[in-house]
Amino acid sequence: MSDNQTKHLSAQDYLRKILVAPVYDVAKNTDLNYMGGLSQRVHQDIWLKREDQQPVKSFKLRGAYNKIANLSDNAKARGVITASAGNHAQGVALSANRMKVKATIVMPETTPDIKVEAVRNFGGDWADIILIGRSFDVASNHAQELAKSEGYTYVPPFDDEDVIAGQGTIAKELFDAKRDLDVVFVAVGGGGLAAGIAVYLKQLKPNIKIVAVESDESACLKAAMEHNQRVMLDQVGIFADGVAVKIIGEETFRLCQQYVDEIITVNSDEICAAIKDIFDDTRAIAEPAGALSVAGIKKWLAANKPTEKLQLAGILCGANINFHTLRYVSERAELGEKKEAIIAATIPEEKGAFRKFCEILGGRAITEFNYRYAPSSAAHIYVGLKLRRGEDELQEVLAELKQNNIDWFDLSDNEIAKQHVRHMVGGRAPELTNERLFSFDFPEYPGALLNFLQTLGQRWNITLFHYRNHSAASGMVLAGFDVSEAELTEFTSHLDKIGYRYKDESNNPAYQFFLKS
């Protein structure tokens, strides 16, 4: 909220602001597509609002344009500034270009080149880009300082009345296109989209249900609702970066408290499955945050099992996905649909044991099988299994394994197993009795690995190292170290100095099954 906003707008004021918002100078009234394939599968009518059709492939253009358009001529002459590494930056850049207002876009140094170039292309001669710091917080603080020292108007990504009203124009289009909607599902990061849509629809159709959908790695609205006040999350996940917000906005929280009926959280696998659903029905490729609403629809239906046919709508709020992320999405979509399971199993280390194992599975398709011989009477295998009937079929499989005296462990929800260990099965080192395993979030910038090694020093031997990145601002690392119990406190203090987020994975069952000596 800006300093001169001393009282909250009423719902009627928001309704008026949404109706007169000049967003169509630059944005378009996007399609509302029927998702035939998904609707048939879940026996409900599901509609998708296609905000990926905007010039910047995201709804963020609406709020940014409305904010700048409502500035005084004086403020426009001084220029605007924002901090963003994603869709909001592109929305501000294009809006400034169209209105011939000078804009400064502050982005972290770790922002992928593809996003920097997109902002540069949309802004043209009217946008200056500043790359500073290795985190969004550094970039945001710098932008706020420049706003004060240079007299620029700061354009917030969500917590602003004009921004909220701009996003609310989506609700106007939804209501005009389909007035019999029963439930609308909206992704939540900072809350601008949900607040704008909810405040509009609840004025015109009070009985419509608004469901906010959050990533379970950045559920700041859920936390705020539970505490009845805004809560700063300690950390947020990086996969659905479009909603990776640590604290809900002040005004957006006020509106969501009043007008959002329910909150549902979804995990990365469920988001990946939703990306596939959207592609199958529309051939659009949503970014992870853009698919949250569809993931929420599926989870809500599974939990509530409505007996009557409902009219449900979700917002495909963005499609700025890095191409290389699709590899991850493809790997995880089947798991998110419960069409695949990953299990660890122990079978005899003898000829014919694998064949017998497959026979027990009764002809079910194996999607992945990882194994390496070890001089032992038992072999640990990593198995991906295709499922036709979801969780019920998995329980049948596990029961059959138990009846045949095969020990098993379900790894379907084990992130370390799915992200790293599946690529590393068999890497035991019998002599490493003091090995400890840690996962890290690595910032993607030149010298990050060298900084890690230099800070760690040469005292502890690295026994395992697996790195994987999907062209995001952070990479994911799994590393093993030879550290005795007596050295552990000193070792973790070294890790703290490095400054990367880390977690001790030494007791993770995936590590215990396949990597630990």
Side-chain angles (χ1 to χ4, degrees):
M1 302 287 293
S2 58
D3 293 338
N4 61 353
Q5 291 171 344
T6 57
K7 68 175 185 175
H8 297 301
L9 290 183
S10 68
Q12 292 73 26
D13 289 335
Y14 269 113
L15 194 64
R16 190 177 304 110
K17 285 178 75 69
I18 291 169
L19 289 172
V20 302
V23 299
Y24 301 106
D25 294 347
V26 63
K28 64 174 290 187
N29 186 330
T30 54
D31 294 341
L32 183 64
N33 291 161
Y34 182 67
M35 295 187 69
L38 181 58
S39 296
Q40 186 174 11
R41 272 171 38 215
V42 299
H43 310 294
Q44 299 290 340
D45 286 335
I46 299 176
W47 302 81
L48 189 66
K49 182 65 170 164
R50 295 285 305 279
E51 284 301 287
D52 60 301
Q53 295 176 341
Q54 296 296 354
V56 299
K57 310 300 181 189
S58 161
F59 76 97
K60 287 287 191 177
L61 178 62
R62 297 174 184 261
Y65 191 89
N66 195 48
K67 172 65 177 178
I68 299 173
N70 277 285
L71 294 177
S72 66
D73 291 340
N74 226 1
K76 289 177 183 176
R78 290 195 302 270
V80 299
I81 191 168
T82 196
S84 171
N87 295 337
H88 179 62
Q90 297 178 43
V92 171
L94 181 56
S95 299
N97 193 347
R98 291 292 179 89
M99 284 183 275
K100 307 306 177 191
V101 172
K102 197 67 178 176
T104 302
I105 315 291
V106 185
M107 311 175 82
E109 294 171 351
T110 55
T111 305
D113 290 343
I114 189 172
K115 293 187 177 182
V116 177
E117 285 305 310
V119 171
R120 185 171 286 117
N121 291 336
F122 284 124
D125 295 334
W126 292 92
D128 292 329
I129 297 173
I130 297 176
L131 299 176
I132 187 170
R134 294 170 179 170
S135 71
F136 175 76
D137 290 340
V138 174
S140 179
N141 291 337
H142 186 70
Q144 300 281 2
E145 290 169 4
L146 284 178
K148 293 177 182 177
S149 63
E150 302 297 328
Y152 302 143
T153 297
Y154 188 79
V155 181
F158 48 83
D159 202 14
D160 178 272
E161 292 164 352
D162 288 320
V163 172
I164 292 168
Q167 322 304 24
T169 58
I170 296 173
K172 176 182 179 297
E173 295 170 19
L174 265 178
F175 191 74
D176 290 345
K178 190 166 179 60
R179 299 194 174 189
D180 63 341
L181 288 174
D182 296 300
V183 192
V184 176
F185 294 77
V186 191
V188 172
L193 180 64
I197 287 177
V199 70
Y200 185 90
L201 290 179
K202 285 291 189 177
Q203 306 314 302
L204 302 185
K205 190 177 181 180
N207 65 332
I208 197 169
K209 191 177 181 73
I210 307 295
V211 178
V213 187
E214 294 187 287
S215 164
D216 62 5
E217 295 184 332
S218 55
C220 60
L221 175 58
K222 182 173 182 284
M225 290 289 199
E226 290 172 348
H227 291 82
N228 200 33
Q229 63 180 1
R230 298 162 67 222
V231 175
M232 177 73 74
L233 301 179
D234 292 333
Q235 58 190 31
V236 294
I238 60 174
F239 177 56
D241 59 345
V243 291
V245 177
K246 287 187 175 182
I247 186 168
I248 195 78
E250 181 180 350
E251 176 68 353
T252 57
F253 178 50
R254 182 183 75 86
L255 293 171
C256 287
Q257 272 189 306
Q258 290 186 54
Y259 300 113
V260 167
D261 298 288
E262 189 177 338
I263 302 169
I264 194 166
T265 62
V266 294
N267 62 36
S268 295
D269 289 351
E270 290 164 337
I271 294 170
C272 290
I275 292 173
K276 182 178 182 295
D277 291 323
I278 292 170
F279 176 79
D280 288 345
D281 272 341
T282 68
R283 292 300 183 264
I285 302 176
E287 64 183 84
L292 275 178
S293 62
V294 172
I297 289 173
K298 292 165 62 183
K299 194 162 187 176
W300 186 85
L301 287 173
N304 290 276
K305 297 180 173 59
T307 54
E308 74 279 19
K309 179 165 279 193
L310 300 174
Q311 302 297 315
L312 312 171
I315 319 295
L316 198 179
C317 55
N320 287 307
I321 187 170
N322 190 300
F323 180 79
H324 298 291
T325 304
L326 295 176
R327 176 178 56 187
Y328 177 90
V329 172
S330 178
E331 284 181 359
R332 306 294 281 268
E334 295 291 291
L335 287 164
E337 276 285 353
K338 304 299 182 184
K339 292 180 178 177
E340 184 184 17
I342 293 175
I343 59 175
T346 302
I347 62 176
E349 185 62 85
E350 62 186 27
K351 293 180 180 179
F354 178 43
R355 184 184 66 186
K356 182 180 178 182
F357 178 81
C358 293
E359 288 171 351
I360 294 170
L361 296 179
R364 294 180 177 91
I366 292 176
T367 59
E368 186 169 0
F369 183 87
N370 294 320
Y371 154 78
R372 186 179 181 184
Y373 175 82
S376 171
S377 60
H380 296 301
I381 55 176
Y382 181 107
V383 182
L385 188 65
K386 193 169 186 64
L387 303 172
R388 291 183 289 271
R389 293 181 287 107
E391 183 67 25
D392 291 342
E393 185 176 2
L394 174 59
Q395 293 307 314
E396 291 174 9
V397 170
L398 298 179
E400 290 167 9
L401 294 178
K402 185 176 181 180
Q403 289 173 8
N404 285 272
N405 298 315
I406 294 178
D407 292 332
W408 56 265
F409 195 94
D410 184 5
L411 296 173
S412 302
D413 294 324
N414 188 302
E415 193 64 26
I416 292 298
K418 293 182 289 186
Q419 186 69 26
H420 296 286
V421 175
R422 70 193 312 170
H423 306 287
M424 306 169 67
V425 170
R428 295 182 185 275
E431 69 275 18
L432 292 175
T433 57
N434 290 323
E435 185 178 62
R436 300 191 74 90
L437 192 72
F438 289 82
S439 60
F440 297 84
D441 280 354
F442 257 43
E444 279 293 324
Y445 65 90
L449 177 58
L450 181 61
N451 178 55
F452 175 86
L453 297 173
Q454 287 177 336
T455 307
L456 188 64
Q458 298 182 2
R459 179 167 177 183
W460 293 284
N461 185 37
I462 295 176
T463 59
L464 175 154
F465 200 91
H466 181 249
Y467 166 79
R468 197 172 188 208
N469 183 30
H470 301 284
S471 300
S474 288
M476 290 159 282
V477 167
L478 191 68
F481 303 89
D482 191 5
V483 182
S484 69
E485 191 69 29
E487 299 172 306
L488 186 58
T489 300
E490 183 181 0
F491 176 77
T492 53
S493 71
H494 276 261
L495 296 187
D496 292 335
K497 292 177 184 177
I498 297 174
Y500 301 163
R501 192 175 72 177
Y502 71 90
K503 181 181 178 183
D504 190 337
E505 303 285 359
S506 302
N507 293 321
N508 190 293
Y511 170 68
Q512 299 283 338
F513 265 98
F514 298 112
L515 301 174
K516 187 174 174 61
S517 64

